[in-house]
Amino acid sequence: MNVANILTSVRILLIPAFMFFLLYSNIPYSKVIAAAIFIVAAITDSLDGYIARSRKIVTNFGKFLDPLADKLLITAALVSLVELQKISSWVAMIIIGREFVVTGLRMVAAAEGVVISANVWGKLKTISQIVAVVLLLLDNYPFVLLGFPLDKIMLYVAVILTIYSGFDYIKANWKVIDFTKK
């Protein structure tokens, strides 16, 4: 297993620790610890891809596990935030639903020999989701001190970018969906 795949695996292993500190730990600053774990896990997402591409060590294992790790991390955060009543379930469903749709589209495309790479809208979507989650985990600190609801603003930006990027992927790759094949 190469360094990139190890980082991806670590991201998956950090998810239970993140959820434990966020939902079940009573130790002081457990939510800050959860936010730190989430940030480290999110950073490994960029780092593993960079390492794999720059060292030319892209593997099928990594191609499979990396997007799965990304979806598991953001889903764990969203479900936890719903449980903590920090976001509405419709927000989580839009974001998670988009991931199912784009993943399904990528699977159909892959079966046709077409690779659908991440585009700028997908990357902006990911960044906005990570920023929104971190702000929500930290109760909008430090912006709460200014009375500025950046956490809510970023959440709505993330939802808009999630919807837009999902439609953009579908529009750009509609040709891979053949409604006549069995």
Side-chain angles (χ1 to χ4, degrees), residues 62-76:
K63 288 180 195 177
F64 166 74
L65 201 60
D66 182 61
L68 179 62
D70 300 344
K71 283 155 191 51
L72 288 172
L73 179 64
I74 200 68
T75 299

Side-chain angles (χ1 to χ4, degrees), residues 11-49:
R11 184 161 66 255
I12 291 172
L13 294 173
L14 287 174
I15 294 169
F18 159 72
M19 293 182 76
F20 170 78
F21 283 105
L22 183 61
L23 299 172
Y24 305 112
S25 176
N26 292 323
I27 68 168
Y29 303 104
S30 63
K31 299 218 180 343
V32 174
I33 294 168
I37 293 169
F38 181 84
I39 291 167
V40 167
I43 289 170
T44 67
D45 181 24
S46 296
L47 196 56
D48 64 5

Side-chain angles (χ1 to χ4, degrees), residues 3-156:
V3 175
N5 291 341
I6 290 170
L7 285 172
T8 301
S9 300
V10 166
R11 184 161 66 255
I12 291 172
L13 294 173
L14 287 174
I15 294 169
F18 159 72
M19 293 182 76
F20 170 78
F21 283 105
L22 183 61
L23 299 172
Y24 305 112
S25 176
N26 292 323
I27 68 168
Y29 303 104
S30 63
K31 299 218 180 343
V32 174
I33 294 168
I37 293 169
F38 181 84
I39 291 167
V40 167
I43 289 170
T44 67
D45 181 24
S46 296
L47 196 56
D48 64 5
Y50 172 77
I51 289 171
R53 287 185 298 277
S54 68
R55 295 183 182 179
K56 296 179 178 40
I57 53 173
V58 175
T59 64
N60 285 336
F61 179 77
K63 288 180 195 177
F64 166 74
L65 201 60
D66 182 61
L68 179 62
D70 300 344
K71 283 155 191 51
L72 288 172
L73 179 64
I74 200 68
T75 299
L78 293 170
V79 170
S80 297
L81 289 169
V82 169
E83 184 172 333
L84 293 171
Q85 298 180 350
K86 290 183 174 259
I87 66 170
S88 297
S89 57
W90 68 266
V91 170
M93 282 307 302
I94 285 173
I95 294 171
I96 295 167
R98 181 259 186 216
E99 297 305 328
F100 275 107
V101 169
V102 171
T103 298
L105 180 62
R106 282 188 166 129
M107 288 171 53
V108 170
E112 297 297 318
V114 176
V115 175
I116 300 176
S117 298
N119 65 21
V120 68
W121 294 110
K123 292 177 184 191
L124 289 172
K125 177 260 323 170
T126 300
I127 292 166
S128 68
Q129 288 175 359
I130 291 168
V131 170
V133 166
V134 170
L135 287 167
L136 288 161
L137 291 171
L138 296 175
D139 296 322
N140 198 38
Y141 185 82
F143 302 98
V144 68
L145 301 173
L146 305 171
F148 186 67
L150 187 59
D151 58 344
K152 300 293 186 233
I153 292 168
M154 284 307 301
L155 182 63
Y156 292 119

